[in-house]
Amino acid sequence: MIWLIFAFGVWGLGWWVNTRLAAAPRTRVTGLVVPLIFGITLIAIWEGVVRGLEISPVLLPAPSMIAARFVASTDILWEDFVQTVIKGALSGYVLGCGSAFLVAILVDRYDFLRQGLLPVGNFVAALPVIGMAPILVMWFGFDWQSKAAVVVVMVFFPMLVNTVQGLADSSAMQRDLMRTYAAGYWATLLKLRLPAAMPFIFNGLKIASTLALIGAIVAEFFGSPIRGMGFRISTSVGQLALDLVWAEIVVAAVVGSAFYGIVALVERAVTFWHPSQRHS
Amino acid sequence: MIVEQLKDATEFHRVEPVISAKNLDLTFQTNDGPVHALKDVSLQIGKGEFVSFIGPSGCGKTTFLRCMADLEHPTSGEITVNGVSPEEARKARSYGYVFQAAGLYPWRTIGGNIRLPLEIMGYSKHDQAERVARVLELVELAGFEKKYPWQLSGGMQQRASIARALAFDADILLMDEPFGALDEIVRDHLNEQLLSLWARTEKTIAFVTHSIPEAVYLSTKIVVMSPRPGRITDVIESPLPKERPLDIRDTPEFLEVAHRVREGLRAGHLDD
Ligand SMILES: Nc1ncnc2c1ncn2[C@@H]1O[C@H](COP(=O)(O)OP(=O)(O)OP(=O)(O)O)[C@@H](O)[C@H]1O
Ligand SMILES: [Mg+2]
């Protein structure tokens, strides 16, 4: 009962503080503090409710329990992180986005590719490619290579479609200007079309960053060596070690946000000139 | 005899047109049917001339200029630039083009934008820096080299785009309402600058404008156009001297030319 009252108390307090802060003029500090308070409040309520209602840890472990498990299993979590994020997701991301970028330049250059490949690309991009995971695991084996392959397949078409769209985004006048300089294909590509495509390219990179992590984790459900975040999640659920599952989820959430955040930061540095980035 | 021939040769050289259009026709196919943008346009522009095009909106001034620049292709008729086809002239980088809007690349600084044609045309780094500094001085944007286009006013952007067209050595300058967006004072000033630049460099300039005083003040030849279909209704050779202080605009000669341009424009309107 005490815990439930605690939960409601925290809820009220967090609410009150945040409405106060949100009403105040927006600054950098409130922009950071408001979501922070929101998150802390949520965790505190979670803790209070789980303890107050004595919810079984199999259904929902308390945050304190997850934290304890996290600290106790850093070596496992690190091993899984390396296996899934570095080897699976990251290598697949770099390979998939890199090849999509190069293919996009070819597609943009040769019209028959644009007419043939692009509709297929749009079709495949709309498919839940994760359904291909078992097949790819069969092809490339249990280790990280098959996970990277799943990631490549997942990120390739969104990246391709975005880049091709971006390469077509320069205005008629910007292209006319290049014509008056008798600029060749490469000069036009490097000095006009690629810079103009950057906002689209980064949009593709951001979409791909979330897809990569999902792909690498879920692909492990279909077979993997005895490490990896997806492997750990599926086996720990079987062993009712839900605290470890949640610890992995925390890692995934932090990694996913950090990944996206890094891409967004680079985007801001590269496309500083774009109206959407300018006064932010 | 030899003297005669020499004289003939120089005479010939003097009148050889830089731009020559014969019976130019251009029809745009649009969704609402064909638009006759140019009809039977013939014009000769000699070396070192300053020719203004004036006429109501939609009379084909931009289209004509774009034909000279090989950005638009006439449906029929003949046009040569520097004695060759517009395409060859474009590939030889014989003209600088100033568009109706500034069209600076937002990811490049002002200096970077002016450097763009120089990079493409392969000027040396040292030469690039020198030229950028010189043309920025010319349009009075020295000190703005490191700013980005969106940090400048519309008029400053337009001046930067003029500087961009002046940075490389083309002996033809095609300008599409370059001063349209500027206030009167700046415009006067840039008109003066442009005249002195023209006198110094002997460039051939084709210049589109909506302003009668501007056309008369700048030009050796004023081409009056009228719309639907776009055509030339009058070509006025200016009797004004090459040396033109701003207050020439109050002289009777000036007012007389301006009057004739106005009459030409009015006649074009009455045809409608
Ligand atoms: N790319 C195009 N496609 C179809 N129609 C066009 C195109 N460009 C111009 N036109 C039409 O051709 C005509 C002449 O246009 P143009 O731009 O040359 O006029 P302008 O004299 O420059 O007018 P303004 O003073 O407004 O700039 C107009 O009727 C215009 O609608
Ligand atoms: Mg125009």
Side-chain angles (χ1 to χ4, degrees):
Chain A
M1 199 57 207
I2 298 277
W3 281 109
L4 277 184
I5 292 168
F6 165 78
F8 278 110
V10 171
W11 183 9
L13 187 70
W15 189 308
W16 179 77
V17 172
N18 261 359
T19 43
R20 272 324 220 18
L21 282 176
R26 238 189 105 92
T27 65
R28 246 195 137 74
V29 178
T30 55
L32 270 171
V33 167
V34 169
L36 205 66
I37 292 179
F38 191 86
I40 292 173
T41 312
L42 216 61
I43 290 172
I45 295 171
W46 177 354
E47 183 82 35
V49 170
V50 168
R51 286 181 183 237
L53 298 181
E54 290 172 17
I55 295 175
S56 149
V58 172
L59 283 180
L60 189 66
S64 57
M65 196 176 162
I66 297 169
R69 173 52 96 163
F70 191 104
V71 174
S73 347
T74 41
D75 50 340
I76 295 182
L77 292 173
W78 174 253
E79 192 189 4
D80 294 348
F81 167 81
V82 171
Q83 172 74 11
T84 305
V85 176
I86 307 287
K87 291 186 180 162
L90 209 57
S91 62
Y93 180 80
V94 171
L95 211 65
C97 290
S99 54
F101 177 79
L102 295 178
V103 171
I105 287 175
L106 289 179
V107 165
D108 173 78
R109 176 117 206 226
Y110 300 106
D111 214 40
F112 71 93
L113 277 180
R114 177 197 303 271
Q115 295 185 5
L117 198 58
L118 223 48
V120 176
N122 280 313
F123 177 71
V124 176
L127 280 179
V129 186
I130 198 70
M132 300 261 308
I135 301 171
L136 290 169
V137 170
M138 212 168 73
W139 286 353
F140 293 98
F142 279 173
D143 209 350
W144 62 271
Q145 288 88 346
S146 64
K147 316 305 175 290
V150 171
V151 173
V152 168
V153 173
M154 282 184 76
V155 302
F156 185 83
F157 284 103
M159 183 67 190
L160 176 76
V161 170
N162 269 286
T163 308
V164 169
Q165 202 180 349
L167 286 172
D169 193 57
S170 52
S171 72
M173 197 229 272
Q174 291 176 327
R175 288 194 300 272
D176 280 348
L177 186 70
M178 280 296 184
R179 256 176 83 82
T180 69
Y181 300 149
Y185 168 78
W186 287 105
T188 310
L189 183 71
L190 291 178
K191 294 189 191 295
L192 168 60
R193 305 188 40 237
L194 275 181
M198 280 305 160
F200 288 80
I201 291 175
F202 274 97
N203 194 32
L205 286 174
K206 283 192 290 190
I207 295 171
S209 75
T210 39
L211 287 176
L213 204 57
I214 296 172
I217 292 175
V218 176
E220 288 179 1
F221 294 170
F222 302 100
S224 68
I226 48 162
R227 57 177 171 275
M229 296 165 74
F231 163 80
R232 197 75 59 198
I233 288 172
S234 60
T235 49
S236 301
V237 166
Q239 297 161 354
L240 300 184
L242 265 291
D243 47 354
L244 188 54
V245 173
W246 280 95
E248 293 281 1
I249 290 173
V250 169
V251 174
V254 171
V255 168
S257 315
F259 196 1
Y260 189 93
I262 289 169
V263 176
L265 270 181
V266 179
E267 174 183 36
R268 186 180 286 199
V270 173
T271 66
F272 64 93
W273 50 271
H274 195 259
S276 67
Q277 301 281 345
R278 258 179 230 163
H279 302 289
S280 57
Chain B
M1 186 64 190
I2 289 168
V3 175
E4 281 274 314
Q5 266 180 358
L6 263 180
K7 205 171 151 223
D8 256 86
T10 51
E11 189 77 18
F12 177 73
H13 190 76
R14 200 178 62 78
V15 296
E16 188 188 10
V18 170
I19 291 163
S20 155
K22 275 194 211 85
N23 312 110
L24 229 52
D25 258 285
L26 196 149
T27 311
F28 288 109
Q29 299 302 338
T30 69
N31 290 334
D32 324 321
V35 176
H36 209 161
L38 293 176
K39 180 175 185 282
D40 201 22
V41 168
S42 298
L43 185 73
Q44 303 245 323
I45 300 178
K47 178 152 180 52
E49 275 197 277
F50 195 130
V51 180
S52 285
F53 296 85
I54 192 164
S57 194
C59 69
K61 306 181 294 291
T62 298
T63 307
F64 192 21
L65 220 59
R66 287 173 63 84
C67 284
M68 300 174 194
D70 188 41
L71 296 175
E72 217 74 75
H73 305 286
T75 324
S76 70
E78 240 180 78
I79 178 164
T80 61
V81 176
N82 274 348
V84 294
S85 74
E87 187 184 357
E88 285 168 281
R90 174 174 67 79
K91 293 205 165 135
R93 288 152 178 167
S94 9
Y95 65 82
Y97 197 108
V98 180
F99 289 86
Q100 213 162 341
L104 301 167
Y105 292 176
W107 52 85
R108 280 177 171 253
T109 58
I110 295 302
N113 269 285
I114 296 171
R115 217 175 298 116
L116 176 71
L118 304 177
E119 286 171 9
I120 292 171
M121 298 177 189
Y123 286 79
S124 74
K125 277 265 178 304
H126 178 72
D127 203 9
Q128 286 179 18
E130 221 168 50
R131 281 163 184 269
V132 169
R134 198 191 66 213
V135 292
L136 276 174
E137 195 78 42
L138 201 69
V139 297
E140 299 189 349
L141 282 178
F144 290 91
E145 182 173 350
K146 298 218 157 55
K147 291 264 186 250
Y148 283 90
W150 73 83
Q151 298 169 321
L152 267 56
S153 73
M156 291 161 100
Q157 291 180 28
Q158 190 59 26
R159 271 144 64 196
S161 86
I162 294 166
R164 183 177 57 185
L166 294 175
F168 54 98
D169 300 313
D171 47 7
I172 304 172
L173 202 50
L174 307 174
M175 308 177 87
D176 193 353
E177 291 187 49
F179 306 146
L182 305 181
D183 67 74
E184 203 76 11
I185 307 286
V186 176
R187 201 170 169 144
D188 278 356
H189 181 74
L190 283 175
N191 279 340
E192 256 186 316
Q193 292 276 307
L194 184 59
L195 269 189
S196 79
L197 178 104
W198 170 67
R200 231 171 332 118
T201 58
E202 300 187 316
K203 283 182 196 278
T204 308
I205 301 183
F207 184 96
V208 172
T209 177
H210 272 134
S211 154
I212 297 176
E214 187 171 76
V216 178
Y217 175 66
L218 292 173
S219 321
T220 56
K221 188 190 263 177
I222 301 152
V223 177
V224 183
M225 296 180 72
S226 104
R228 282 175 301 273
R231 62 200 184 280
I232 294 176
T233 48
D234 199 3
V235 177
I236 301 158
E237 299 280 349
S238 172
L240 300 180
K242 206 170 173 179
E243 196 66 40
R244 299 177 187 182
L246 273 174
D247 49 23
I248 200 171
R249 294 179 298 188
D250 300 322
T251 62
E253 292 91 343
F254 185 96
L255 296 174
E256 200 183 300
V257 181
H259 180 74
R260 200 175 144 197
V261 175
R262 184 166 290 115
E263 287 301 307
L265 285 171
R266 196 167 293 154
H269 261 288
L270 291 181
D271 286 355
D272 272 1

